[in-house]
Protein backbone atom coordinates (compact mmCIF):
# COMPACT_ATOMS: atom_id res chain seq x y z
CA UNK A 1 0.00 0.00 0.00
CA UNK A 2 1.24 3.45 -0.89
CA UNK A 3 1.00 6.16 1.78
CA UNK A 4 -1.64 8.75 0.97
CA UNK A 5 0.79 11.60 0.30
CA UNK A 6 2.90 9.40 -1.97
CA UNK A 7 -0.18 8.28 -3.92
CA UNK A 8 -1.32 11.90 -4.26
CA UNK A 9 2.08 12.99 -5.61
CA UNK A 10 2.21 10.04 -8.01
CA UNK A 11 -1.22 10.85 -9.40
CA UNK A 12 -0.41 14.51 -9.96
CA UNK A 13 2.86 13.55 -11.64
CA UNK A 14 0.90 11.31 -14.02
CA UNK A 15 -1.62 14.05 -14.78
CA UNK A 16 -0.74 16.08 -17.86
CA UNK A 17 -2.68 19.33 -18.41
CA UNK A 18 -4.68 20.01 -21.52
CA UNK A 19 -2.80 21.69 -24.34
CA UNK A 20 -3.39 25.47 -24.33
CA UNK A 21 -3.10 25.59 -28.14
CA UNK A 22 -5.28 22.65 -29.15
CA UNK A 23 -7.57 22.05 -26.17
CA UNK A 24 -9.20 25.45 -26.18
CA UNK A 25 -12.42 27.11 -27.24
CA UNK A 26 -13.94 30.57 -27.33
CA UNK A 27 -17.10 31.16 -25.33
CA UNK A 28 -19.34 34.18 -24.69
CA UNK A 29 -18.47 36.01 -21.51
CA UNK A 30 -21.79 35.16 -19.86
CA UNK A 31 -21.05 31.47 -20.45
CA UNK A 32 -17.53 31.69 -19.01
CA UNK A 33 -18.29 31.39 -15.29
CA UNK A 34 -16.11 28.67 -13.75
CA UNK A 35 -14.09 28.18 -16.92
CA UNK A 36 -10.28 28.34 -16.98
CA UNK A 37 -8.36 30.82 -19.12
CA UNK A 38 -6.27 29.13 -21.79
CA UNK A 39 -4.31 32.29 -22.60
CA UNK A 40 -3.50 35.50 -20.73
CA UNK A 41 -5.85 38.41 -21.36
CA UNK A 42 -4.16 41.65 -22.44
CA UNK A 43 -6.21 44.82 -22.57
CA UNK A 44 -5.53 47.97 -24.64
CA UNK A 45 -7.21 50.00 -21.90
CA UNK A 46 -5.84 51.68 -18.81
CA UNK A 47 -7.71 51.03 -15.54
CA UNK A 48 -9.07 53.47 -14.53
CA UNK A 49 -9.54 54.70 -18.09
CA UNK A 50 -9.04 58.30 -16.95
CA UNK A 51 -8.56 60.32 -13.75
CA UNK A 52 -11.84 60.18 -11.83
CA UNK A 53 -13.30 61.00 -8.44
CA UNK A 54 -13.66 58.38 -5.70
CA UNK A 55 -16.15 60.53 -3.76
CA UNK A 56 -18.90 63.08 -4.12
CA UNK A 57 -17.49 66.56 -3.54
CA UNK A 58 -15.58 69.25 -5.41
CA UNK A 59 -12.72 68.96 -7.86
CA UNK A 60 -10.13 71.64 -7.10
CA UNK A 61 -6.52 72.65 -7.57
CA UNK A 62 -4.60 71.64 -4.45
CA UNK A 63 -2.65 74.89 -4.57
CA UNK A 64 -5.92 76.79 -3.98
CA UNK A 65 -7.04 74.86 -0.88
CA UNK A 66 -3.88 73.73 0.88
CA UNK A 67 -4.17 76.39 3.61
CA UNK A 68 -7.85 75.88 4.41
CA UNK A 69 -8.79 75.44 8.10
CA UNK A 70 -12.09 75.78 9.99
CA UNK A 71 -10.88 79.16 11.28
CA UNK A 72 -9.58 80.32 7.89
CA UNK A 73 -11.64 78.59 5.21
CA UNK A 74 -11.06 79.10 1.49
CA UNK A 75 -13.81 80.17 -0.88
CA UNK A 76 -13.91 79.05 -4.53
CA UNK A 77 -16.25 79.76 -7.40
CA UNK A 78 -18.17 76.73 -8.70
CA UNK A 79 -17.98 76.95 -12.48
CA UNK A 80 -19.32 73.55 -13.59
CA UNK A 81 -21.05 70.37 -12.45
CA UNK A 82 -19.68 66.99 -13.55
CA UNK A 83 -21.91 63.92 -13.21
CA UNK A 84 -20.57 60.44 -13.92
CA UNK A 85 -20.44 59.76 -17.62
CA UNK A 86 -19.80 63.33 -18.75
CA UNK A 87 -16.60 64.55 -20.42
CA UNK A 88 -15.48 67.92 -19.01
CA UNK A 89 -13.25 69.82 -21.40
CA UNK A 90 -13.04 73.31 -19.88
CA UNK A 91 -9.86 73.67 -17.78
CA UNK A 92 -10.26 74.60 -14.13
CA UNK A 93 -8.63 77.97 -13.38
CA UNK A 94 -7.17 79.33 -10.14
CA UNK A 95 -9.90 80.06 -7.58
CA UNK A 96 -12.40 77.75 -9.27
CA UNK A 97 -14.02 74.44 -8.32
CA UNK A 98 -16.20 71.89 -10.05
CA UNK A 99 -19.05 70.06 -8.37
CA UNK A 100 -18.23 66.38 -9.03
CA UNK A 101 -19.79 63.01 -8.28
CA UNK A 102 -18.34 59.57 -7.62
CA UNK A 103 -16.83 58.04 -10.75
CA UNK A 104 -16.94 61.27 -12.72
CA UNK A 105 -13.98 62.34 -14.85
CA UNK A 106 -11.78 65.13 -13.46
CA UNK A 107 -11.72 68.34 -15.49
CA UNK A 108 -8.37 69.53 -16.88
CA UNK A 109 -6.40 71.43 -14.23
CA UNK A 110 -8.00 69.71 -11.22
CA UNK A 111 -5.78 67.43 -9.13
CA UNK A 112 -7.63 66.94 -5.83
CA UNK A 113 -11.11 66.16 -4.51
CA UNK A 114 -12.55 67.85 -1.43
CA UNK A 115 -15.33 65.66 -0.06
CA UNK A 116 -18.64 67.41 0.39
CA UNK A 117 -18.61 66.82 4.17
CA UNK A 118 -15.76 69.35 4.41
CA UNK A 119 -17.55 72.06 2.45
CA UNK A 120 -20.44 74.49 2.58
CA UNK A 121 -22.21 75.60 -0.59
CA UNK A 122 -24.06 78.86 -1.13
CA UNK A 123 -25.08 79.68 -4.68
CA UNK A 124 -22.00 79.58 -6.93
CA UNK A 125 -19.60 79.75 -3.98
CA UNK A 126 -18.23 76.75 -2.08
CA UNK A 127 -16.40 77.19 1.21
CA UNK A 128 -13.58 74.72 1.85
CA UNK A 129 -13.38 74.21 5.61
CA UNK A 130 -10.51 71.72 5.78
CA UNK A 131 -7.45 71.25 3.60
CA UNK A 132 -7.30 67.86 1.87
CA UNK A 133 -4.09 66.00 1.28
CA UNK A 134 -2.61 66.38 -2.22
CA UNK A 135 -4.47 64.34 -4.86
CA UNK A 136 -7.03 63.22 -2.27
CA UNK A 137 -9.76 60.88 -3.56
CA UNK A 138 -8.45 60.90 -7.10
CA UNK A 139 -8.27 57.55 -8.90
CA UNK A 140 -5.53 58.13 -11.42
CA UNK A 141 -5.62 56.77 -14.95
CA UNK A 142 -3.71 53.49 -15.16
CA UNK A 143 -3.19 53.23 -11.39
CA UNK A 144 -4.91 49.82 -11.30
CA UNK A 145 -3.55 48.46 -14.57
CA UNK A 146 -1.59 49.77 -17.54
CA UNK A 147 -2.67 49.10 -21.10
CA UNK A 148 -0.67 46.35 -22.78
CA UNK A 149 0.25 44.53 -19.56
CA UNK A 150 -1.31 41.10 -18.84
CA UNK A 151 -4.70 41.72 -17.27
CA UNK A 152 -5.56 38.15 -16.19
CA UNK A 153 -3.18 35.16 -16.32
CA UNK A 154 -3.69 31.86 -18.11
CA UNK A 155 -4.78 29.08 -15.79
CA UNK A 156 -7.12 31.33 -13.79
CA UNK A 157 -10.61 30.09 -13.04
CA UNK A 158 -13.13 32.77 -13.94
CA UNK A 159 -15.33 33.81 -11.04
CA UNK A 160 -17.51 36.88 -10.63
CA UNK A 161 -14.74 39.46 -10.11
CA UNK A 162 -12.72 38.20 -13.09
CA UNK A 163 -15.85 38.16 -15.27
CA UNK A 164 -16.45 41.78 -14.26
CA UNK A 165 -12.85 42.67 -15.20
CA UNK A 166 -13.28 41.09 -18.63
CA UNK A 167 -16.53 42.97 -19.14
CA UNK A 168 -14.83 46.23 -18.16
CA UNK A 169 -12.04 45.39 -20.61
CA UNK A 170 -14.67 45.02 -23.35
CA UNK A 171 -14.03 41.29 -23.89
CA UNK A 172 -17.41 39.90 -24.98
CA UNK A 173 -15.76 36.53 -25.66
CA UNK A 174 -12.94 34.71 -23.91
CA UNK A 175 -10.60 31.83 -24.77
CA UNK A 176 -10.80 29.00 -22.26
CA UNK A 177 -9.72 25.38 -21.97
CA UNK A 178 -12.29 22.87 -23.13
CA UNK A 179 -13.83 20.88 -20.34
CA UNK A 180 -12.14 17.51 -19.71
CA UNK A 181 -14.19 14.48 -20.71
CA UNK A 182 -14.63 11.95 -17.90
CA UNK A 183 -16.16 8.55 -18.63
CA UNK A 184 -17.90 6.88 -15.68
CA UNK A 185 -18.85 3.24 -15.37
CA UNK A 186 -19.81 0.97 -12.50
CA UNK A 187 -19.01 -2.73 -12.29
CA UNK A 188 -21.00 -5.51 -10.67
CA UNK A 189 -23.74 -8.05 -11.42
CA UNK A 190 -25.68 -6.75 -8.45
CA UNK A 191 -26.17 -3.20 -9.81
CA UNK A 192 -29.41 -1.83 -11.24
CA UNK A 193 -30.43 1.64 -12.40
CA UNK A 194 -32.63 3.75 -10.09
CA UNK A 195 -35.63 3.33 -12.40
CA UNK A 196 -35.51 -0.49 -12.34
CA UNK A 197 -37.31 -2.73 -9.83
CA UNK A 198 -34.97 -3.74 -7.01
CA UNK A 199 -34.76 -7.49 -6.50
CA UNK A 200 -33.40 -9.24 -3.38
CA UNK A 201 -29.59 -9.07 -3.33
CA UNK A 202 -29.41 -6.18 -5.79
CA UNK A 203 -28.09 -2.66 -5.23
CA UNK A 204 -28.91 0.62 -6.93
CA UNK A 205 -25.96 2.05 -8.88
CA UNK A 206 -25.66 5.22 -6.81
CA UNK A 207 -21.96 5.67 -7.64
CA UNK A 208 -22.79 6.55 -11.25
CA UNK A 209 -24.87 9.51 -10.10
CA UNK A 210 -22.57 10.64 -7.30
CA UNK A 211 -19.47 10.59 -9.50
CA UNK A 212 -21.22 12.30 -12.43
CA UNK A 213 -22.31 15.06 -10.07
CA UNK A 214 -18.82 15.48 -8.61
CA UNK A 215 -17.24 15.53 -12.07
CA UNK A 216 -19.64 18.23 -13.19
CA UNK A 217 -19.01 20.26 -10.03
CA UNK A 218 -15.26 20.02 -10.69
CA UNK A 219 -15.79 21.64 -14.10
CA UNK A 220 -15.50 18.60 -16.35
CA UNK A 221 -18.02 16.88 -18.62
CA UNK A 222 -19.24 13.53 -17.27
CA UNK A 223 -19.89 10.72 -19.77
CA UNK A 224 -22.01 8.21 -17.81
CA UNK A 225 -21.71 4.74 -19.37
CA UNK A 226 -23.90 2.85 -16.91
CA UNK A 227 -23.18 -0.37 -15.08
CA UNK A 228 -21.30 -3.36 -16.47
CA UNK A 229 -21.69 -6.95 -15.23
CA UNK A 230 -18.74 -8.88 -13.83
CA UNK A 231 -17.97 -10.69 -17.07
CA UNK A 232 -14.43 -10.19 -18.40
CA UNK A 233 -15.35 -9.83 -22.09
CA UNK A 234 -18.16 -7.38 -21.43
CA UNK A 235 -16.07 -5.41 -18.96
CA UNK A 236 -13.08 -5.33 -21.33
CA UNK A 237 -15.25 -3.89 -24.13
CA UNK A 238 -16.74 -1.26 -21.83
CA UNK A 239 -13.36 -0.15 -20.48
CA UNK A 240 -11.88 -0.01 -23.98
CA UNK A 241 -14.79 2.16 -25.12
CA UNK A 242 -14.36 4.48 -22.14
CA UNK A 243 -10.62 4.87 -22.74
CA UNK A 244 -11.18 5.69 -26.41
CA UNK A 245 -13.52 8.62 -25.77
CA UNK A 246 -12.36 10.25 -22.55
CA UNK A 247 -9.46 12.09 -20.98
CA UNK A 248 -10.13 10.34 -17.66
CA UNK A 249 -12.00 7.15 -16.86
CA UNK A 250 -13.62 6.46 -13.50
CA UNK A 251 -14.82 2.98 -12.73
CA UNK A 252 -16.13 1.86 -9.37
CA UNK A 253 -15.93 -1.67 -8.09
CA UNK A 254 -13.94 -4.65 -9.27
CA UNK A 255 -10.56 -3.45 -7.99
CA UNK A 256 -10.20 -5.50 -4.82
CA UNK A 257 -8.91 -9.08 -4.63
CA UNK A 258 -12.16 -11.02 -4.96
CA UNK A 259 -12.91 -13.73 -7.49
CA UNK A 260 -14.96 -11.27 -9.58
CA UNK A 261 -12.54 -8.35 -9.46
CA UNK A 262 -11.22 -8.22 -13.02
CA UNK A 263 -10.38 -4.54 -13.54
CA UNK A 264 -6.61 -4.60 -12.91
CA UNK A 265 -6.12 -7.62 -15.16
CA UNK A 266 -8.13 -6.03 -17.96
CA UNK A 267 -6.25 -2.75 -17.71
CA UNK A 268 -2.98 -4.59 -18.25
CA UNK A 269 -4.42 -6.58 -21.16
CA UNK A 270 -5.54 -3.34 -22.83
CA UNK A 271 -2.03 -1.88 -22.66
CA UNK A 272 -2.35 0.17 -19.53
CA UNK A 273 0.48 0.84 -17.10
CA UNK A 274 -0.64 0.41 -13.51
CA UNK A 275 0.96 2.96 -11.20
CA UNK A 276 -1.07 2.34 -8.04
CA UNK A 277 -3.04 -0.69 -6.88
CA UNK A 278 -3.65 0.08 -3.22
CA UNK A 279 -3.41 3.11 -0.93
CA UNK A 280 -3.12 3.22 2.86
CA UNK A 281 -6.35 5.16 3.27
CA UNK A 282 -9.50 4.25 5.20
CA UNK A 283 -11.95 4.07 3.55
CA UNK A 284 -10.63 3.58 0.02
CA UNK A 285 -7.73 1.13 0.17
CA UNK A 286 -8.45 -0.72 -3.15
CA UNK A 287 -7.65 2.20 -5.46
CA UNK A 288 -6.15 1.39 -8.86
CA UNK A 289 -4.56 4.09 -11.03
CA UNK A 290 -3.32 3.42 -14.55
CA UNK A 291 -2.34 5.33 -17.68
CA UNK A 292 -2.98 4.58 -21.34
CA UNK A 293 -1.08 6.14 -24.24
CA UNK A 294 -3.19 8.33 -26.51
CA UNK A 295 -2.16 8.09 -30.19
CA UNK A 296 -3.36 11.58 -31.13
CA UNK A 297 -1.81 13.33 -28.11
CA UNK A 298 1.28 13.38 -25.99
CA UNK A 299 -1.02 13.24 -22.98
CA UNK A 300 -2.02 9.85 -21.56
CA UNK A 301 -5.54 8.82 -20.63
CA UNK A 302 -5.77 8.52 -16.86
CA UNK A 303 -7.74 5.64 -15.37
CA UNK A 304 -9.03 5.52 -11.79
CA UNK A 305 -10.43 2.24 -10.56
CA UNK A 306 -12.30 3.39 -7.46
CA UNK A 307 -13.64 1.13 -4.70
CA UNK A 308 -17.22 -0.02 -5.08
CA UNK A 309 -18.41 0.94 -1.61
CA UNK A 310 -20.16 4.32 -2.03
CA UNK A 311 -18.36 6.21 0.74
CA UNK A 312 -14.99 4.82 -0.34
CA UNK A 313 -15.65 5.91 -3.93
CA UNK A 314 -16.47 9.46 -2.88
CA UNK A 315 -13.60 9.79 -0.40
CA UNK A 316 -11.07 8.64 -3.00
CA UNK A 317 -12.60 11.02 -5.53
CA UNK A 318 -12.26 14.01 -3.21
CA UNK A 319 -8.74 13.09 -2.12
CA UNK A 320 -7.20 11.97 -5.42
CA UNK A 321 -9.40 12.42 -8.50
CA UNK A 322 -10.58 15.98 -7.96
CA UNK A 323 -7.06 17.47 -7.71
CA UNK A 324 -6.03 15.55 -10.84
CA UNK A 325 -9.02 16.88 -12.77
CA UNK A 326 -8.20 20.43 -11.71
CA UNK A 327 -4.63 20.05 -12.97
CA UNK A 328 -5.78 18.38 -16.19
CA UNK A 329 -8.29 21.18 -16.81
CA UNK A 330 -5.48 23.78 -16.91
CA UNK A 331 -6.00 25.32 -13.48
CA UNK A 332 -2.73 26.83 -12.29
CA UNK A 333 -1.28 25.65 -8.97
CA UNK A 334 -4.50 25.39 -6.94
CA UNK A 335 -5.21 21.67 -7.15
CA UNK A 336 -4.79 20.82 -3.47
CA UNK A 337 -7.96 20.17 -1.42
CA UNK A 338 -8.97 22.88 1.02
CA UNK A 339 -7.58 22.14 4.49
CA UNK A 340 -8.29 23.77 7.85
CA UNK A 341 -7.43 22.96 11.44
CA UNK A 342 -10.26 22.35 13.85
CA UNK A 343 -10.85 21.20 17.42
CA UNK A 344 -12.15 17.65 17.71
CA UNK A 345 -15.53 17.53 19.44
CA UNK A 346 -15.07 13.87 20.44
CA UNK A 347 -12.40 11.18 20.39
CA UNK A 348 -11.35 10.23 16.84
CA UNK A 349 -10.04 6.68 16.49
CA UNK A 350 -7.08 5.74 14.33
CA UNK A 351 -6.19 2.69 12.23
CA UNK A 352 -2.88 0.93 12.75
CA UNK A 353 -2.08 0.65 9.03
CA UNK A 354 -4.06 3.30 7.19
CA UNK A 355 -4.70 7.04 7.37
CA UNK A 356 -8.33 7.47 8.46
CA UNK A 357 -10.79 9.88 6.86
CA UNK A 358 -13.76 10.39 9.20
CA UNK A 359 -16.74 12.33 7.91
CA UNK A 360 -18.53 14.92 9.96
CA UNK A 361 -19.61 18.51 10.36
CA UNK A 362 -17.23 21.47 10.42
CA UNK A 363 -18.62 24.56 12.14
CA UNK A 364 -17.04 27.87 13.14
CA UNK A 365 -16.70 28.73 16.81
CA UNK A 366 -14.94 31.38 18.86
CA UNK A 367 -11.63 29.49 18.64
CA UNK A 368 -11.77 28.88 14.88
CA UNK A 369 -13.50 25.65 13.82
CA UNK A 370 -14.98 22.64 15.55
CA UNK A 371 -15.29 19.18 13.96
CA UNK A 372 -17.91 16.67 15.09
CA UNK A 373 -18.60 13.22 13.67
CA UNK A 374 -22.01 12.78 12.08
CA UNK A 375 -24.41 10.37 13.71
CA UNK A 376 -25.17 7.01 12.20
CA UNK A 377 -21.85 5.20 12.19
CA UNK A 378 -18.80 5.29 9.96
CA UNK A 379 -19.33 2.45 7.54
CA UNK A 380 -18.06 2.67 3.97
CA UNK A 381 -21.49 1.72 2.68
CA UNK A 382 -23.39 4.34 4.72
CA UNK A 383 -24.23 7.10 2.28
CA UNK A 384 -26.94 8.39 4.61
CA UNK A 385 -24.41 9.61 7.17
CA UNK A 386 -22.01 10.92 4.52
CA UNK A 387 -24.77 13.08 3.03
CA UNK A 388 -24.89 15.01 6.33
CA UNK A 389 -21.15 15.81 6.29
CA UNK A 390 -19.23 18.78 4.92
CA UNK A 391 -15.71 17.74 5.91
CA UNK A 392 -13.34 14.83 6.52
CA UNK A 393 -11.13 14.67 9.60
CA UNK A 394 -7.70 13.18 8.90
CA UNK A 395 -6.44 10.86 11.62
CA UNK A 396 -2.80 9.76 11.14
CA UNK A 397 -1.83 6.08 11.19
CA UNK A 398 -1.79 4.75 14.75
CA UNK A 399 -2.34 8.18 16.30
CA UNK A 400 -5.84 8.66 17.72
CA UNK A 401 -7.00 12.20 18.42
CA UNK A 402 -8.63 12.97 21.75
CA UNK A 403 -11.55 15.31 22.19
CA UNK A 404 -10.34 18.89 22.45
CA UNK A 405 -7.18 18.27 20.42
CA UNK A 406 -6.50 19.86 17.01
CA UNK A 407 -7.30 17.82 13.92
CA UNK A 408 -6.57 18.49 10.26
CA UNK A 409 -9.79 18.65 8.24
CA UNK A 410 -10.45 18.47 4.51
CA UNK A 411 -13.47 20.35 3.20
CA UNK A 412 -15.82 18.45 0.89
CA UNK A 413 -18.80 19.61 -1.16
CA UNK A 414 -17.05 22.99 -1.50
Amino acid sequence: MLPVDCAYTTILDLTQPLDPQYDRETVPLLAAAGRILAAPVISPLDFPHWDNSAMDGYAVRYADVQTATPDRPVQLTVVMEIPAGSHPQTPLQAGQAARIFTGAMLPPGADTIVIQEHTQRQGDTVTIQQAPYPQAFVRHQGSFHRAGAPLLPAGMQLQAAAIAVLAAAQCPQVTVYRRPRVAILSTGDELVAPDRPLQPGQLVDSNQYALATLVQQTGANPLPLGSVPDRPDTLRAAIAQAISQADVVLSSGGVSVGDYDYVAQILTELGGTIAINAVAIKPGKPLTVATFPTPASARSTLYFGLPGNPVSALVTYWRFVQPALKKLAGLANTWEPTWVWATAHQDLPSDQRRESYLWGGLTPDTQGYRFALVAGGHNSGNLISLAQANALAIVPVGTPIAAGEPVRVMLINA
Side-chain angles (χ1 to χ4, degrees):
M1 292 187 296
L2 277 180
V4 171
D5 288 345
C6 184
Y8 175 81
T9 300
T10 298
I11 289 168
L12 285 185
D13 287 344
L14 293 172
T15 304
Q16 300 158 302
L18 296 174
D19 190 298
Q21 296 300 317
Y22 300 104
D23 296 313
R24 60 195 285 177
E25 60 187 8
T26 301
V27 299
L29 188 55
L30 283 177
R35 302 300 295 272
I36 299 171
L37 284 175
V41 176
I42 297 175
S43 174
L45 299 174
D46 285 331
F47 287 84
H49 308 321
W50 42 74
D51 292 353
N52 70 89
S53 177
M55 300 288 283
D56 291 347
Y58 293 86
V60 299
R61 294 161 19 110
Y62 178 73
D64 289 339
V65 298
Q66 59 183 324
T67 62
T69 65
D71 295 334
R72 302 186 63 182
V74 171
Q75 292 186 330
L76 303 175
T77 301
V78 180
V79 295
M80 67 184 88
E81 182 171 290
I82 311 171
S86 63
H87 182 192
Q89 300 184 55
T90 303
L92 202 65
Q93 304 296 330
Q96 295 181 339
R99 177 69 168 129
I100 197 167
F101 298 90
T102 302
M105 188 176 184
L106 264 66
D111 57 18
T112 299
I113 303 298
V114 179
I115 58 175
Q116 62 188 32
E117 292 86 346
H118 295 164
T119 67
Q120 282 189 346
R121 175 80 178 269
Q122 187 171 5
D124 290 337
T125 300
V126 60
T127 300
I128 310 300
Q129 299 173 315
Q130 180 176 320
Y133 57 86
Q135 303 181 54
F137 302 111
V138 175
R139 296 187 287 221
H140 292 283
Q141 179 175 346
S143 60
F144 302 162
H145 175 267
R146 287 290 183 185
L151 185 64
L152 297 176
M156 179 182 189
Q157 188 171 39
L158 297 175
Q159 304 295 354
I163 295 288
V165 168
L166 292 170
Q170 297 186 306
C171 297
Q173 295 182 317
V174 61
T175 300
V176 296
Y177 284 100
R178 67 170 176 83
R179 296 188 187 274
R181 299 180 293 268
V182 182
I184 304 169
L185 56 92
S186 305
T187 71
D189 293 334
E190 73 279 15
L191 300 177
V192 295
D195 59 350
R196 298 290 300 276
L198 191 63
Q199 303 299 325
Q202 292 185 327
L203 295 172
V204 174
D205 180 14
S206 61
N207 285 351
Q208 188 88 193
Y209 292 82
L211 293 173
T213 300
L214 288 172
V215 165
Q216 192 168 38
Q217 290 174 344
T218 308
N221 283 335
L223 307 174
L225 301 181
S227 59
V228 184
D230 288 322
R231 291 192 286 275
D233 290 345
T234 305
L235 187 55
R236 183 182 295 105
I239 291 177
Q241 176 193 358
I243 293 169
S244 70
Q245 64 186 47
D247 303 295
V248 173
V249 179
L250 306 180
S251 68
S252 61
V255 291
S256 191
V257 292
D259 292 344
Y260 297 96
D261 294 327
Y262 301 118
V263 170
Q265 174 187 335
I266 290 172
L267 296 180
T268 301
E269 292 173 357
L270 291 173
T273 300
I274 295 180
I276 297 172
N277 55 27
V279 179
I281 185 172
K282 181 182 182 181
K285 170 188 170 184
L287 172 67
T288 296
V289 180
T291 56
F292 287 84
T294 304
S297 170
R299 188 181 62 256
S300 298
T301 298
L302 196 56
Y303 190 102
F304 290 90
L306 306 179
N309 280 321
V311 175
S312 301
L314 269 63
V315 168
T316 50
Y317 180 92
W318 284 315
R319 187 63 183 94
F320 302 113
V321 180
Q322 185 168 276
L325 281 182
K326 289 181 177 181
K327 181 178 179 181
L328 171 69
L331 193 63
N333 301 324
T334 53
W335 317 313
E336 181 80 13
T338 301
W339 305 95
V340 299
W341 284 92
T343 300
H345 178 63
Q346 66 263 87
D347 293 345
L348 303 177
S350 67
D351 186 271
Q352 294 304 309
R353 299 184 62 208
R354 294 183 283 164
E355 190 171 277
S356 299
Y357 285 62
L358 305 178
W359 48 102
L362 183 72
T363 55
D365 64 16
T366 56
Q367 304 301 315
Y369 290 99
R370 185 186 73 159
F371 176 86
L373 297 172
V374 296
H378 278 64
N379 183 291
S380 59
N382 191 351
L383 275 175
I384 309 303
S385 66
L386 183 65
Q388 314 304 315
N390 65 359
L392 300 171
I394 316 306
V395 184
V397 176
T399 310
I401 295 173
E405 291 184 346
V407 58
R408 192 174 182 228
V409 176
M410 186 176 86
L411 273 61
I412 59 176
N413 299 323

